[in-house]
């Protein structure tokens, strides 16, 4: 498996943990040594899952959770693999963390003001973003010991 396929597969697998009824999103942060240093998925804030209705404005996005779940002291120079192009709020976090690149799987909200603002901020901050083009389109996991 190609490294990029592995990193996006980790983001896709993380997204599967989300209980968001409309869009499951995952993120995987990779350092310059090609090691995963953080993963996350969109979810309600801790302790709120059972107490609030799902709403995009109330959800902690996958990028935020990947940054908070990081196992590295510094994210400067890291790349982030995301299943959905980041919104403007997540773009700010990515820029402030010093990440160098955004690789996304889907850009289904590309006409939304939040996505347009995110793209503008990335361009101004000189952080390239690109659509992920997989070498493999499927990853099969067997969860049995061999």
């Amino acid at each position: 498996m190609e490294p990029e396929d592995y990193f996006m597969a980790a983001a896709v697998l993380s997204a599967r943990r989300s209980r968001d009824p409309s869009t499951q999103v995952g993120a995987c942060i990779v350092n310059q040594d090609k090691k995963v240093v953080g993963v996350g998925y969109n979810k309600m804030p801790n302790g709120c899952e059972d107490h609030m209705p799902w709403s995009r404005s109330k959800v902690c996005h996958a990028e935020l959770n990947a940054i908070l779940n990081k196992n590295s002291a510094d994210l400067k120079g890291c790349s982030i693999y995301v299943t959905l192009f980041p919104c403007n709020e997540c773009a700010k976090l990515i820029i402030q963390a010093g990440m160098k690149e955004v690789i996304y799987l889907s850009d289904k909200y590309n006409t939304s003001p939040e996505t347009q603002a995110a793209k503008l901020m990335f361009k101004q901050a000189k952080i390239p973003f690109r659509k992920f083009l997989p070498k493999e389109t499927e990853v099969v996991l067997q969860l049995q010991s061999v």
Side-chain angles (χ1 to χ4, degrees):
M1 175 180 286
E2 295 290 322
E4 286 216 321
D5 287 348
Y6 174 84
F7 300 137
M8 188 58 79
V12 170
L13 186 61
S14 294
R16 302 240 359 234
R17 293 213 53 206
S18 174
R19 296 192 315 197
D20 189 324
S22 65
T23 304
Q24 295 177 315
V25 182
C28 177
I29 301 172
V30 179
N31 71 11
Q32 296 169 344
D33 295 325
K34 302 291 185 201
K35 294 180 181 172
V36 173
V37 296
V39 293
Y41 57 93
N42 58 324
K43 64 184 281 308
M44 286 289 192
N46 293 336
C48 297
E49 284 86 357
D50 299 323
H51 308 291
M52 301 175 76
W54 280 91
S55 163
R56 285 178 57 120
S57 64
K58 296 180 184 135
V59 171
C60 294
H61 290 188
E63 300 90 336
L64 168 68
N65 283 319
I67 290 168
L68 292 174
N69 294 338
K70 70 181 168 62
N71 62 10
S72 173
D74 190 2
L75 297 179
K76 186 174 182 166
C78 289
S79 299
I80 187 165
Y81 291 78
V82 291
T83 59
L84 182 63
F85 196 93
C87 70
N88 60 310
E89 293 298 320
C90 292
K92 291 188 282 188
L93 294 169
I94 291 165
I95 292 165
Q96 289 300 93
M99 290 190 222
K100 69 170 185 174
E101 179 182 31
V102 176
I103 303 98
Y104 63 92
L105 188 59
S106 170
D107 192 12
K108 73 177 182 176
Y109 298 118
N110 62 355
T111 60
S112 74
E114 295 84 3
T115 301
Q116 292 299 312
K119 289 179 179 180
L120 180 60
M121 285 189 281
F122 286 141
K123 286 177 183 173
Q124 289 180 352
K126 296 181 174 46
I127 297 175
F129 52 88
R130 63 182 166 85
K131 181 159 179 56
F132 176 70
L133 301 172
K135 302 259 187 309
E136 298 180 39
T137 58
E138 184 176 273
V139 176
V140 178
L141 299 172
Q142 295 181 354
L143 299 177
Q144 304 174 26
S145 58
V146 288

